[in-house]
Amino acid sequence: MSLKDNLINGTNFDPDSLNALQKVTLRAVVMSFLFFGLVAIEGMIMKLVVTGPSNPLPEMFSHPSHYFSIMTVHPIVGIFGSTYQLVFAAFMFLVPFLTKKPLYSVKLANAVWILITVGTALAWIAAFVWQYAPLYTLYWPLPADTEQFSAVGGVVFILGVALIMLGTFGFIYNIYATIFARVGVHKDKTTKELLISGFGIDGMLNLWHKLTGKPPYSKEPALALPVVAIFRGTVDTFLDAVVILSAGVLVLVYLLFDLAGSPLDVTVVDSLLYKNYFWWGLDLVADGLVLIYVAGSWYLLATLITGQKLFMENVARAALMLELLVSWMVWSHHLLADQGQPEMMKLISGEMVTAFELLTQGLALFITLVTLWKARPLKMTMELKYLLGGLVGFGLAVPAAIIQADMGMNRVLHNTQWIAMAHFHIALVVGLYMTLYSALYVLWPIVTNNTKMFSSKMSNIHYWMYLIGGIGLGAFGGMAGLDGMLRRHLYVNGEFNTLMILAAICGTMVVIAWFIFLLNIVLSVGIKGLIGIFMPAKDPTASYGIEPETVAENHKA
Amino acid sequence: MTFASSIELLKFHETAYTIYALMIISVIAWFGYNLTRENVKSIVRIPFYGYMAFLVAGGVGHHIFTYNAIPWVSQDITRHEIKPDQSYEFEIERHKWIGLPKQIVVQCGQTVKFDVHSRDLVYGFGLFRKDGTLVTQMQVNPGTDVNGILDSNDMLWTFNHNGVFDLTSTEYSGPAQYSEDGKKDLMLVKDFVKVVGCKDGGAK
């Protein structure tokens, strides 16, 4: 088969053989990776600007209104357009797969990816056309500052974010409606039993019973551990959506009054209180759902890859509950440089509770590694490689943040590139995406009905370029942070240019890796197949019949 | 161990974190290699609860270490009980510093109080060395109390090394902080603080 044939027809991909659940999953995956490309290019533009005056970009990219509008949409496209889409798609497939029940609504799942895609596009347009640039932090009253920003641009931006949040609510409803549906294996379960399992209380009770010498509370918990993680993480996803949406409504009201010619008084809203509220919600993404979803994904991948039960499963269940509580109480680490923030909140929420994330994430890492170790020898498949890459990513990123969540360190690291690059870029680019790539490789044969990947060589090149580029990007950026480079500041005179050139080289590796990955996928499914994914499914089935246990068979050495 | 300046702390931090990063990458690489091999014996057996205890000790111990090794932590917590050697109070409005002295001259070892008020947006207050490294910083939030008096954003800092430091905002407050071509930070105040009287290695 020639390259041209592959480009048009793929390997053996047949979109007509896919059921409704498979198609809706793939639609969101396609959009997610397109947005990933956009976010990677945006990141590269910003990196090139800060390499100094000799950068090859047109001068307009160095203009503050242009530069900061890119910086404003970069996380919106990255977190919501790409990551949320991919995670939501994976979970709306996995929950039916793991619970052996149909998804509550395929229509709703379709609405989710469309809402998030349109919302992300609107936010991007607001920044591109009107250069609305209050950054994702939306520190009050900057988003309502119509002396610096266009009110129309602001309205479009907020509408975009609101659509994303509506899509998020759609995902949440679909997940819980599927979990609580009393059909199939859950036909005889009560809502109470499902709730107890969803919150990991059965895991805690099992531990307690073991300690007190009683028989186990529940030999077979109602929900599989990865579903518990999805259940738990989705609580944070909901709270986070409520906070972001309500902050958006506040900004929208101010902008609409401004457009109507009777602007409201921005000082009515206390800026520090707003910061607390906003960070509480926003931190539920970073320290809540990401960490919980990731822990759940590791557990799922480890059990699917090894075909064995998870090591210390009851502890893992109980720890997910602890992670949920921890995620609600850590937001003050974002406010350690705010002198008006009460010291006790800095100390307890900002330092002590935040340090617990070292424990919960360390626990997830340990349990995953031991589960893999106990099943050796294993084949070094792509999914296993990516999983290990994901573990490295979080192994690097979480301590980097814990170090900064300290009143002494924060004084010299707050708002520097340290937290932006050594922490959350490594966490997202390496930790989260490597985990998601692992899930993608595990689910690929299931979601595409055993479509052959075009080239394993391209998969390997993607893996190494992405891993090295991602870590390098974070490392060199982090070093610039230690040298005093701020994260929300414009440097066009080459102030940190050696480190930024090195970071840009690594960033380029990530972009090239993404292109190779995308090409590999396109050559596997073909352009016809890609179009076919977006055509209505002939088979309306909203579940997938394959047993999770059979997936493990492919990984035994 | 005590860090007299932020530069010493950052150097220590860079070394410690680099060692850790190389270690975690090596451990996972070694682990991955051995996952594919048969009959591999564990070099060390890591007890589960021992590992947990290590993480707890690491998380809590880190803060205990910094509290004792970084002098500005306790100084910050108890700053309302400390009488500074010098005090400066100024404002920011529309990306401009208001009431800012041209230069502050500080004798080695003196503790200075900076109290900054914002009349509109969230800004930052950051002092930088000439090589761009950060001396110290804080956020500057706008707002007033019930009597309409601007909220305080105050910080104490003890200067233990000679140097001339620049001031700028460390928080993004919109593109108006810069000239249109982005080449000039309009909030940058060169040579804002001058510290004199310290020996070469720091302190009097």
Side-chain angles (χ1 to χ4, degrees):
Chain A
M1 202 183 230
S2 71
L3 201 66
K4 192 181 155 194
D5 281 341
N6 267 106
L7 193 65
I8 294 166
N9 300 311
T11 49
N12 57 336
F13 181 65
D14 177 13
D16 291 337
S17 71
L18 304 178
N19 69 26
L21 181 65
Q22 289 170 307
K23 277 207 171 186
V24 74
T25 304
L26 287 172
R27 284 170 195 159
V29 170
V30 170
M31 295 319 298
S32 164
F33 280 108
L34 289 178
F35 279 126
F36 185 91
L38 178 61
V39 86
I41 292 165
E42 285 168 356
M44 278 311 299
I45 290 172
M46 289 190 287
K47 273 284 159 284
L48 285 173
V49 166
V50 293
T51 56
S54 55
N55 80 71
L57 296 170
E59 206 195 312
M60 66 170 186
F61 287 106
S62 305
H63 294 178
S65 49
H66 202 116
Y67 180 82
F68 287 112
S69 46
I70 297 176
M71 196 184 272
T72 297
V73 288
H74 182 64
I76 305 289
V77 177
I79 305 284
F80 300 124
S82 182
T83 315
Y84 261 42
Q85 292 250 40
L86 195 55
V87 169
F88 290 178
F91 290 171
M92 281 193 283
F93 183 83
L94 278 170
V95 169
F97 175 64
L98 295 168
T99 59
K100 297 168 184 142
K101 297 193 288 188
L103 183 71
Y104 170 74
S105 168
V106 172
K107 266 188 191 159
L108 188 55
N110 269 309
V112 169
W113 77 260
I114 292 170
L115 282 167
I116 295 178
T117 300
V118 174
T120 307
L122 274 182
W124 191 87
I125 288 166
F128 184 76
V129 177
W130 290 280
Q131 306 206 317
Y132 183 71
L135 300 193
Y136 77 101
T137 39
L138 295 174
Y139 280 166
W140 191 260
L142 189 61
D145 182 2
T146 49
E147 282 186 22
Q148 290 194 83
F149 307 119
S150 147
V152 177
V155 170
V156 175
F157 182 86
I158 298 296
L159 284 178
V161 173
L163 287 184
I164 295 169
M165 292 305 123
L166 287 180
T168 305
F169 285 130
F171 159 77
I172 295 163
Y173 192 84
N174 226 354
I175 288 292
Y176 285 134
T178 308
I179 290 175
F180 285 113
R182 289 210 288 271
V183 293
V185 289
H186 291 156
K187 204 168 79 181
D188 301 323
K189 298 280 179 198
T190 61
T191 305
K192 186 182 159 194
E193 282 173 310
L194 291 169
L195 263 175
I196 284 176
S197 192
F199 279 111
I201 296 166
D202 48 7
M204 266 192 255
L205 288 172
N206 275 347
L207 281 177
W208 177 247
H209 280 216
K210 196 177 172 185
L211 286 172
T212 52
K214 291 182 195 164
Y217 170 79
S218 162
K219 275 186 186 165
E220 275 301 321
L223 297 171
L225 185 56
V227 180
V228 175
I230 295 170
F231 183 103
R232 215 77 58 72
T234 306
V235 175
D236 275 357
T237 310
F238 171 73
L239 294 171
D240 163 64
V242 168
V243 170
I244 294 180
L245 195 62
S246 57
V249 169
L250 175 75
V251 177
L252 192 65
V253 168
Y254 271 80
L255 293 173
L256 289 176
F257 269 86
D258 191 272
L259 282 170
S262 37
L264 300 173
D265 179 10
V266 290
T267 61
V268 170
V269 179
D270 184 89
S271 136
L272 184 59
L273 194 64
Y274 173 91
K275 249 187 187 179
N276 272 278
Y277 176 69
F278 194 69
W279 271 124
W280 183 78
L282 210 62
D283 210 44
L284 294 176
V285 179
D287 298 276
L289 63 100
V290 169
L291 295 189
I292 299 173
Y293 282 162
V294 163
S297 302
W298 288 351
Y299 299 153
L300 171 71
L301 291 165
T303 49
L304 284 178
I305 287 170
T306 61
Q308 293 186 4
K309 275 195 78 141
L310 195 76
F311 175 69
M312 300 197 85
E313 186 175 330
N314 283 324
V315 174
R317 281 177 187 271
L320 283 170
M321 183 70 192
L322 179 68
E323 179 68 275
L324 185 74
L325 299 175
V326 166
S327 73
W328 293 348
M329 294 189 282
V330 295
W331 80 97
S332 269
H333 61 240
H334 292 277
L335 296 151
L336 293 177
D338 288 83
Q339 299 299 83
Q341 185 76 349
E343 300 297 335
M344 282 312 281
M345 279 173 81
K346 288 186 184 180
L347 197 66
I348 294 170
S349 159
E351 287 195 345
M352 292 305 173
V353 186
T354 301
F356 257 87
E357 290 188 353
L358 198 64
L359 189 75
T360 50
Q361 203 65 10
L363 179 72
L365 191 113
F366 188 88
I367 288 174
T368 308
L369 288 178
V370 176
T371 305
L372 293 173
W373 189 254
K374 280 171 163 279
R376 70 188 190 282
L378 293 167
K379 257 197 290 189
M380 189 49 75
T381 53
M382 286 316 298
E383 43 268 47
L384 181 53
K385 273 187 203 173
Y386 279 109
L387 176 58
L388 293 172
L391 297 175
V392 169
F394 279 100
L396 289 168
V398 173
I402 299 295
I403 286 167
Q404 192 189 319
D406 174 85
M407 287 158 81
M409 297 300 298
N410 190 72
R411 188 65 67 204
V412 288
L413 289 176
H414 184 84
N415 255 358
T416 65
Q417 293 278 352
W418 172 262
I419 203 67
M421 304 313 290
H423 172 53
F424 65 72
H425 271 83
I426 292 218
L428 292 172
V429 176
V430 184
L432 182 60
Y433 265 92
M434 282 285 189
T435 303
L436 291 173
Y437 280 122
S438 175
L440 188 131
Y441 275 91
V442 164
L443 295 178
W444 176 261
I446 308 167
V447 183
T448 64
N449 289 342
N450 287 315
T451 296
K452 204 170 154 269
M453 195 64 94
F454 172 74
S455 162
S456 59
K457 209 176 261 178
M458 282 168 86
S459 297
N460 274 305
I461 294 171
H462 168 252
Y463 175 80
W464 286 110
M465 280 191 89
Y466 190 87
L467 182 67
I468 296 167
I471 292 176
L473 175 73
F476 293 122
M479 284 177 201
L482 297 179
D483 287 349
M485 185 177 183
L486 298 171
R487 63 186 274 208
R488 301 178 194 135
H489 198 80
L490 181 54
Y491 299 94
V492 298
N493 301 313
E495 290 89 336
F496 296 92
N497 97 332
T498 307
L499 286 169
M500 285 303 102
I501 288 170
L502 291 168
I505 291 169
C506 294
T508 309
M509 287 172 74
V510 171
V511 177
I512 295 171
W514 163 77
F515 181 75
I516 291 170
F517 168 80
L518 204 67
L519 190 64
N520 201 12
I521 295 290
V522 172
L523 289 169
S524 305
V525 301
I527 292 169
K528 275 188 186 169
L530 267 180
I531 297 166
I533 287 169
F534 289 88
M535 294 291 128
K538 289 174 185 160
D539 174 3
T541 310
S543 60
Y544 195 81
I546 199 166
E547 298 293 316
E549 293 75 21
T550 58
V551 179
E553 292 304 312
N554 301 328
H555 295 88
K556 291 308 280 179
Chain B
M1 183 188 263
T2 308
F3 301 101
S5 83
S6 59
I7 205 88
E8 289 173 17
L9 174 66
L10 289 169
K11 272 185 188 152
F12 174 81
H13 165 65
E14 187 169 17
T15 309
Y17 185 77
T18 305
I19 292 168
Y20 166 76
L22 293 174
M23 197 185 75
I24 188 82
I25 292 170
S26 310
V27 166
I28 302 277
W30 170 86
F31 184 87
Y33 170 67
N34 283 300
L35 271 184
T36 58
R37 297 171 66 206
E38 272 184 85
N39 305 321
V40 181
K41 282 189 181 166
S42 304
I43 298 173
V44 282
R45 288 187 71 82
I46 304 170
F48 176 73
Y49 291 104
Y51 173 73
M52 289 291 110
F54 169 74
L55 290 179
V56 173
V60 177
H62 164 58
H63 297 307
I64 294 171
F65 170 71
T66 57
Y67 183 84
N68 288 293
I70 303 176
W72 54 84
V73 182
S74 56
Q75 182 174 279
D76 195 36
I77 295 171
T78 57
R79 67 184 183 277
H80 300 299
E81 295 155 19
I82 298 171
K83 195 172 178 296
D85 299 303
Q86 298 186 51
S87 286
Y88 296 94
E89 194 172 348
F90 38 87
E91 295 175 8
I92 314 173
E93 187 176 18
R94 290 174 178 245
H95 304 91
K96 286 190 178 70
W97 304 96
I98 300 166
L100 201 66
K102 200 173 175 216
Q103 188 179 58
I104 292 171
V105 179
V106 183
Q107 294 299 318
C108 188
Q110 278 193 334
T111 300
V112 181
K113 179 182 175 183
F114 299 100
D115 191 358
V116 192
H117 313 285
S118 165
R119 287 195 170 271
D120 45 21
L121 301 164
V122 176
Y123 298 95
F125 169 88
L127 296 176
F128 293 81
R129 294 179 189 85
K130 290 293 171 190
D131 63 1
T133 53
L134 193 49
V135 178
T136 185
Q137 62 165 325
M138 67 172 162
Q139 292 272 292
V140 179
N141 292 305
T144 55
D145 65 11
V146 285
N147 300 315
I149 297 167
L150 287 171
D151 286 343
S152 270
N153 299 276
D154 64 308
M155 180 182 69
L156 291 183
W157 197 258
T158 305
F159 294 89
N160 292 312
H161 289 80
N162 285 345
V164 182
F165 309 132
D166 298 338
L167 164 70
T168 191
S169 169
T170 48
E171 185 54 83
Y172 174 73
S173 50
Q177 184 183 340
Y178 306 89
S179 61
E180 227 168 272
D181 60 4
K183 287 183 181 160
K184 208 170 165 200
D185 172 4
L186 304 174
M187 293 189 75
L188 178 68
V189 180
K190 292 235 175 205
D191 308 334
F192 176 61
V193 174
K194 186 177 182 183
V195 182
V196 293
C198 296
K199 288 179 187 165
D200 284 348
K204 277 187 257 191

